[in-house]
Amino acid sequence: MTSRTAKPGRPAALVVLPLIVLALVFGTLPMWTDDYWIRVWTGVAMWAGLAASWNIIGGYAGYISFGHVAFFGIGAYATAILMQPGYDWNFFLTLPVGAVIAGLFALIVGWPTLRLRGAYFAIATWALAEALAQIINTLDFTGGSFGLSTPGNPSTWFFYYAMLIATILIYLLTFLLFERSRFGYKVKAVRDNEAAAQSLGINTTAVKLQAFMLSAALPAVLGGINAYWITFINPQSVLSGEVTDQMVVMTLIGGLGHLWGPALGAFVLYLASTWLGAEYGGSTSYIAMIGALLAIIILFLPDGLIGLAPRARGMKLVRKMLGLSGAPGGGGAGTAPPGGRP
Amino acid sequence: MVRAMQLLIQTVIDGLLVGGLYVAISIGFSLAFGILDVVDFAVGEWVVLGGFAGVAAHTWLGIDPIVFLPAVFVIFALIGSLVAPLIYRVRTSRYARPALMALAFTFGIAMLARGTMLTTVGFDPRTVQTSLVGGTLTIGGVHMPWLRLAGFLFAIVTTALFMGFLFFTRTGLAVRAAAQNKRNAGLMGIDVKRLSTIVYAIYAGLTAMAGVLIGAIYTFTAQVGPQYSLLAFFVVVMAGLGSIGGVLVAGLFLGMLQALVTVYVGADYTLAIVFGVLFVVLLVSPQGVLRRGLAA
Amino acid sequence: MSAVEVKDLRRSFGGIKAVAGVSFEVQPAEIVGIIGPNGSGKSTLFSLLSGTIAPTSGTIRLDGRDVTRMPAYRIARMGLGRTFQIPTPFTNMTVRENLLAAAVESDWANARSRADEVLEALEITHVADDLAGTLSGGQLRLLEFGRVQMRDAETILLDEVTAGVNPRLRQIILARVRALQEKGKTFLIIEHDMELVRSVCERIIVMDAGEIVFEGSFEEVASNEVVIDAYLGRPAA
Ligand SMILES: Nc1ncnc2c1ncn2[C@@H]1O[C@H](COP(=O)(O)OP(=O)(O)OP(=O)(O)O)[C@@H](O)[C@H]1O
Ligand SMILES: [Mg+2]
C-alpha cells in the first residue's frame, strides 16, 4: 500500500481475475450441478436482485419501504396475465410492462409521502401492499384468491440464466447510477441532509421519486421471471408480506447502503433458509427467526456483515487500483466505517 | 324507506362501537410515537397477543377474560418495559440513520411476535370466550350487543384516564414536554429514557387489553396483526402523528367508514378504501385532518 | 438592478416574530455585513432569502426576479448560494464527495479539479477521504464554506462561517471572499467578529428583534448610540 508506483499488470489481475473466476463458476453452473442446486442458485440470484432493489430506496435514498412486495407482485401478475391464453404475449415483452406499472404505482404512492418524514412513507408503502393483496384477491382477471397459472415451462437453466442476468444488470445499473454518477451524489446528499441539498440546487422531491420508481421497477422484472418460473401464482405467494420482510432483512444483514450488502445478505440468508427448510420443514418459525435476526443485527451490527470487513482500507485500495478515485493516493488516513459508534 | 333508514342507523352505530376499540389501540400508540419518535410496527401484534392472553386465561386458567384484564395489562406492561429501552437505544444511537434503524427494529419485533404465535398456535381462528357480558341491548330497533358496548365503554374510560394522566399529572407534563422537544426536555432534567419506558409499557398493556376485547368480538388468527397495525396507522395519520385528541375523532371515523363500506360496498373492499382515504389525507393534509400536534 | 431586493419581509414562529418587516437592497458585487444580538433574526432572514423557509409575508427579488415562496432548489439554481450557521455536512459521504455533491447542479465537468483546488485552499486535503461525520467543528465550517464555493453562485450568503476557525484560515477565507467579489459576486455576511466585519464589509445592516435598526458604514455603525446599546455594548466604566 505504501508503494504508489504499482506495476500496471498487478492491480488489474487482482480485480479482474476473481471476476473471471466468478463468471466462469456461475456461467457454467448448470453444466456441473443437478437441478436442485440450480434452483437454489436461481433463488439466490433472485433475492440478491430483490434486496439490491430495496437497497436503492432504503440504503441510498434513506426511506424505508415496508411494501416492496407490491412491486414484485405487480410484475408477477403483469407477466402471468399477459401470458394467459387469448393474450399470449411473448414472455420477455411482459417484463417491461410490469416494470412500468410498478414504477407508476411508486410514483403515485411516493408523490405525497416522499415529501414527508420517513414514518409516513413506511406506513404508506406498507398500506399499499396490504391493500393491493386484498384487491387482487377480489378481482376476476387476476384469478382472485385462486390465482393464475403461467403456460409452458422452459428448463431450469433458462430461469437460472434469466435471474442471473437480470440481477447482474440490476447491480451494474446500481453501480453506475449510485457509485459512479452525478445522480448518486444527489440521492446521497438528499438522504444525508435535505435542507443542505436543496440549498445546492437539488430538487430533492424529484430525486427521491426517481430513486423510488427505479427501486420499484426492478423487483417487478424479477417478479415477472418468478411468475413464469413457479408456473402458478396467487396473492399468498407473490404478495405475501414475507417477501418484503426478506428484502429488508437481507439488505440489513449484508449492509444497508452498501453496493454488495444485499448480495451478501441474500447469499447468507437464502442458503441458511434453504438449509433450515430442508432440516425443519416449518416456515412459521422462519418468520420468528428472521425477525429476531433483524432485531439483533440492528442492535449489535448496524453496518451489517460488510461492516465486519476491513472495508475502509480495502475499498480505498481497490479504488486506487482501478484508478477510479481521481485522487493520486491520499494520505492513507484511516477512515472509520460509516455508522461506527465512537 | 324506513328499513333503509334503520339499516343506516344500525350501520353507523355498529361503526361507532367498533371505532371505540380503534381509539383504544391507537391512543397509546400515538403517544408512544410522540415520545419515542418511532412508529411501532408491532402495534397490531400487541392486539393479537392480548387476544391470545384472553384465550389462554379461559382455556388454561379457567378465568373469565374480562376479569383477567388487569392481569393482561400488568403482563404486557412488563414486556413493554423490556422492549422500550431497546427501541430507545436504537433511536438515540449514533448509527448512520437511527430513525430508519428504529423503524426496522420494531418491524423485526413484529415479525418475531407473529412468527412465534404462528409457530405455537398455528393458523386456526380463535375467539375469546366470556360469560360475563352477553346478550343484546335493543333501542328503537337498533341492536347493540352488550359486548360491543362494553368494548366502547372501555375505550372511553381508557381515553379519559390517559388524558387525565397527560394533563393532570407531573409525569404527564413531562411526557408532553419530551414529546415536544427531546433535547430541551433532557436539559430540564427530564429522564427521557425512563419516560419512554413508562409510556411504552402503558401503551403495550393498554393495547393488549383492547386485544382481549377485540378477540371477544371478532374471531382472530395469529396472522391478523398487520391488519390491526394498518388500522392504527390510519387513525394516527388521520389525527396527525403524535396528536392525542385527534385520535378520538379519527378512530370513530374509521369505525364508521369501515362499517359503511362493509354494508354498502362489500367487506372485500374495506382495506382498499381505507387505503384510498389515507392516501387522500396524506396528499391534502399531511399534518393530519385536525392539524394539531401533541401540544394542543 | 439590485442583486437582492427585499420588501417588508416577515416571518413568525408561533408567537415569535423572528423577522418583523425587513426591507433592504444589495447591489451586485457588494459585500454587506449583517450584525445583531443573538436571536435577532439574522439566520432566519438567510433562510427566507434562500427559500429554506417560507415567509409569512413580503417579497424577495433576486436580480430583479421575484423568488418569493419559490422552492429552495430553484432559488439555488438561479444563482444563490448559502452556508448554514449549524453546519449541514452529508455525514455519510467523504469530504471530497461533499464538495462534489455541491457541484451536481452547476459545473459538473470540472468538479473534480475544482474540488481539489478548494481542498487545497482550505487546507483540508489530508481529510479529503474521511467521512464528513468525523470532522472537527472548525473543519465542518470550512467544509460548509468549501461547498458554497463549489456552487459557483452569483450571490452568496455566509452565516458565521469563520466562527471557530483559526486566525490564519480566517484570513484565507476573507481573501477568497475578496477575490470572488472582484469577479463580480455579491456577498451577505453574518458575523459577530467586528474586526472581520470592519475589514471586509462595505456596508453594514444592524438587526434587533427582527427589525433593521440601523444601516451604514462601519464607522457610522460603531458610533451609533442605538447600535451600541443593542449590540456592541459600552466599555465598562
Ligand atoms: N425553526 C424555528 N422554530 C421556532 N423558532 C425559531 C426557528 N428558527 C428561529 N426561531 C426563533 O427566531 C428568532 C430568531 O432566530 P435566528 O436564528 O434568526 O437568530 P440569529 O440572529 O441568527 O441569532 P444568532 O446570532 O444567535 O445566530 C429566535 O428567537 C429563534 O428562537
Ligand atoms: Mg444565526
Side-chain angles (χ1 to χ4, degrees):
Chain A
M1 214 192 151
T2 39
S3 144
R4 248 171 248 161
T5 50
K7 289 152 216 106
R10 208 184 100 227
L14 258 179
V15 177
V16 174
L17 256 181
L19 280 181
I20 291 177
V21 170
L22 275 181
L24 272 178
V25 168
F26 285 108
T28 61
L29 196 82
M31 290 167 206
W32 47 269
T33 44
D34 55 17
D35 264 15
Y36 173 79
W37 282 105
I38 298 177
R39 261 182 262 124
V40 168
W41 284 102
T42 312
V44 172
M46 179 175 92
W47 285 105
L50 286 175
S53 317
W54 189 86
N55 192 36
I56 291 177
I57 186 71
Y60 287 111
Y63 272 80
I64 285 209
S65 162
F66 281 144
H68 240 55
V69 64
F71 308 120
F72 179 74
I74 286 170
Y77 271 96
T79 295
I81 290 168
L82 291 174
M83 287 180 79
Q84 290 303 302
Y87 300 105
D88 296 311
W89 277 45
N90 176 296
F91 163 67
F92 291 103
L93 293 181
T94 65
L95 299 179
V97 176
V100 168
I101 299 176
L104 285 177
F105 267 85
L107 177 68
I108 294 169
V109 174
W111 187 41
T113 51
L114 282 171
R115 288 174 299 182
L116 309 172
R117 304 172 49 185
Y120 286 98
F121 179 76
I123 290 176
T125 48
W126 203 56
L128 168 75
E130 296 282 327
L132 196 70
Q134 208 197 18
I135 293 171
I136 286 187
N137 239 319
T138 62
L139 293 179
D140 272 342
F141 68 97
T142 59
S145 60
F146 182 73
L148 291 172
S149 41
T150 47
N153 43 339
S155 56
T156 35
W157 63 262
F158 172 84
F159 292 108
Y160 172 73
Y161 283 117
M163 286 292 188
L164 188 68
I165 290 169
T167 294
I168 289 175
L169 289 180
I170 289 176
Y171 272 87
L172 203 61
L173 190 69
T174 313
F175 174 73
L176 291 177
L177 269 181
F178 292 91
E179 306 286 345
R180 285 292 162 266
S181 83
R182 211 197 297 211
F183 184 66
Y185 283 100
K186 288 190 200 174
V187 173
K188 290 183 217 165
V190 171
R191 171 194 71 192
D192 280 0
N193 198 313
E194 199 164 343
Q198 285 205 343
S199 81
L200 300 173
I202 298 172
N203 182 351
T204 54
T205 308
V207 166
K208 285 188 277 189
L209 262 179
Q210 287 156 7
F212 184 40
M213 287 170 71
L214 180 69
S215 167
L218 299 177
V221 173
L222 296 170
I225 302 176
N226 183 61
Y228 195 26
W229 182 31
I230 61 177
T231 69
F232 174 73
I233 60 164
N234 61 15
Q236 280 86 53
S237 62
V238 296
L239 282 166
S240 149
E242 279 158 52
V243 177
T244 307
D245 298 353
Q246 289 223 80
M247 290 190 221
V248 178
V249 175
M250 285 170 173
T251 309
L252 279 154
I253 288 179
L256 181 70
H258 297 276
L259 180 66
W260 298 112
L264 184 60
F267 173 79
V268 171
L269 197 66
Y270 191 81
L271 287 187
S273 76
T274 314
W275 176 74
L276 278 177
E279 294 287 306
Y280 305 112
S283 78
T284 54
S285 54
Y286 178 66
I287 303 177
M289 191 201 81
I290 55 174
L293 198 60
L294 181 57
I296 291 169
I297 289 272
I298 291 172
L299 279 175
F300 302 109
L301 199 65
D303 231 11
L305 291 174
I306 264 189
L308 291 178
R311 174 182 167 278
R313 256 186 301 139
M315 285 314 290
K316 259 190 189 174
L317 188 66
V318 170
R319 261 188 217 175
K320 226 175 286 171
M321 286 187 301
L322 285 172
L324 291 169
S325 143
T335 308
R341 288 189 292 157
Chain B
M1 190 57 211
V2 175
R3 284 185 60 189
M5 201 58 213
Q6 186 122 29
L7 179 64
L8 181 64
I9 294 173
Q10 177 74 51
T11 309
V12 169
I13 299 270
D14 281 350
L16 286 177
L17 291 183
V18 178
L21 289 169
Y22 295 158
V23 173
I25 62 174
S26 311
I27 198 147
F29 170 65
S30 176
L31 190 64
F33 169 82
I35 192 154
L36 273 168
D37 206 16
V38 177
V39 168
D40 184 14
F41 272 79
V43 54
E45 308 304 333
W46 294 117
V47 174
V48 182
L49 282 169
F52 278 117
V55 172
H58 179 74
T59 46
W60 293 348
L61 305 175
I63 304 173
D64 193 282
I66 302 279
V67 179
F68 198 60
L69 278 178
V72 169
F73 180 84
V74 173
I75 293 168
F76 284 95
L78 278 177
I79 300 177
S81 63
L82 296 179
V83 176
L86 297 179
I87 301 179
Y88 182 84
R89 185 182 141 174
V90 177
R91 183 65 186 86
T92 54
S93 63
R94 306 282 215 103
Y95 297 164
R97 287 176 281 287
L100 291 196
M101 287 300 199
L103 266 182
F105 184 79
T106 68
F107 197 67
I109 298 288
M111 277 157 66
L112 177 59
R114 190 163 62 249
T116 308
M117 283 189 286
L118 281 170
T119 309
T120 47
V121 301
F123 293 86
D124 299 338
R126 312 279 170 133
T127 15
V128 174
Q129 308 280 344
T130 172
S131 47
L132 276 188
V133 190
T136 302
L137 173 72
T138 306
I139 301 172
V142 178
H143 306 289
M144 290 173 280
W146 279 108
L147 197 55
R148 295 195 177 201
L149 279 172
F152 188 73
L153 198 69
F154 166 80
I156 298 300
V157 170
T158 47
T159 310
L161 283 177
F162 227 75
M163 295 292 226
F165 162 70
L166 278 183
F167 287 89
F168 299 111
T169 68
R170 205 194 319 175
T171 315
L173 180 68
V175 168
R176 284 188 293 142
Q180 288 265 305
N181 187 330
K182 262 150 226 83
R183 182 171 314 142
N184 281 352
L187 290 179
M188 292 185 299
I190 293 173
D191 182 348
V192 180
K193 183 175 178 182
R194 200 181 121 260
L195 275 189
S196 318
T197 305
I198 294 176
V199 168
Y200 194 89
I202 296 179
Y203 143 68
L206 205 68
T207 311
M209 279 204 292
V212 175
L213 291 164
I214 290 176
I217 297 173
Y218 301 106
T219 52
F220 63 98
T221 71
Q223 289 184 93
V224 297
Q227 286 179 30
Y228 284 104
S229 297
L230 198 57
L231 297 175
F233 293 163
F234 177 91
V235 172
V236 295
V237 171
M238 284 285 282
L241 274 175
S243 154
I244 299 292
V247 166
L248 197 61
V249 182
L252 295 178
F253 172 76
L254 173 63
M256 260 169 52
L257 178 71
Q258 215 182 18
L260 290 170
V261 171
T262 307
V263 170
Y264 293 101
V265 186
D268 288 340
Y269 296 94
T270 45
L271 257 186
I273 290 183
V274 162
F275 175 69
V277 174
L278 188 69
F279 180 78
V280 173
V281 168
L282 283 177
L283 198 61
V284 236
S285 176
Q287 305 309 314
V289 173
L290 301 168
R291 284 181 193 277
R292 296 225 314 244
L294 193 59
Chain C
M1 190 169 42
S2 320
V4 180
E5 186 185 341
V6 170
K7 274 213 188 84
D8 197 30
L9 200 62
R10 289 167 196 275
R11 167 75 206 211
S12 33
F13 297 104
I16 305 166
K17 289 179 183 163
V19 172
V22 164
S23 307
F24 63 90
E25 279 182 40
V26 181
Q27 299 311 318
E30 203 181 2
I31 301 183
V32 173
I34 300 183
I35 62 172
N38 294 122
S40 56
K42 306 182 295 295
S43 298
T44 307
L45 176 64
F46 271 17
S47 289
L48 292 170
L49 292 179
S50 65
T52 307
I53 58 176
T56 315
S57 68
T59 56
I60 305 161
R61 283 172 179 281
L62 216 61
D63 296 324
R65 286 170 298 185
D66 190 348
V67 299
T68 321
R69 267 175 250 281
M70 241 185 220
Y73 76 91
R74 287 187 53 201
I75 298 181
R77 287 180 189 180
M78 289 170 76
L80 188 97
R82 74 165 290 188
T83 68
F84 290 84
Q85 179 177 3
I86 298 164
T88 54
F90 303 128
T91 37
N92 298 306
M93 298 164 84
T94 66
V95 171
R96 188 193 308 279
E97 287 171 335
N98 265 265
L99 294 177
L100 292 176
V104 286
E105 294 293 346
S106 49
D107 180 13
W108 179 251
N110 300 316
R112 282 196 177 272
S113 56
R114 280 174 43 229
D116 287 338
E117 277 171 39
V118 169
L119 288 167
E120 199 77 27
L122 296 179
E123 304 186 2
I124 45 177
T125 309
H126 60 293
V127 291
D129 294 313
D130 287 0
L131 291 177
T134 65
L135 294 186
S136 75
Q139 288 171 329
L140 282 176
R141 302 262 154 147
L142 291 172
L143 178 59
E144 196 75 24
F145 181 63
R147 268 202 327 220
V148 82
Q149 281 183 275
M150 294 293 293
R151 284 285 328 283
D152 201 23
E154 288 307 311
T155 303
I156 299 170
L157 317 179
L158 302 178
D159 195 345
E160 298 191 30
V161 71
T162 67
V165 170
N166 74 56
R168 204 168 50 81
L169 275 171
R170 218 178 253 229
Q171 290 311 317
I172 293 174
I173 290 180
L174 286 188
R176 246 358 232 211
V177 168
R178 289 206 193 88
L180 285 169
Q181 182 198 22
E182 309 253 289
K183 289 195 205 161
K185 313 276 184 196
T186 315
F187 283 89
L188 266 164
I189 303 179
I190 297 178
E191 261 306 334
H192 284 298
D193 179 345
M194 290 310 286
E195 187 44 40
L196 197 144
V197 171
R198 190 186 62 78
S199 69
V200 69
C201 299
E202 297 155 346
R203 186 155 61 92
I204 293 158
I205 291 175
V206 187
M207 287 186 70
D208 189 17
E211 291 173 36
I212 294 180
V213 291
F214 192 76
E215 216 180 311
S217 68
F218 184 84
E219 287 68 29
E220 289 165 345
V221 165
S223 57
N224 182 282
E225 292 290 314
V226 178
V227 180
I228 292 172
D229 280 339
Y231 182 60
L232 298 173
R234 287 170 206 283

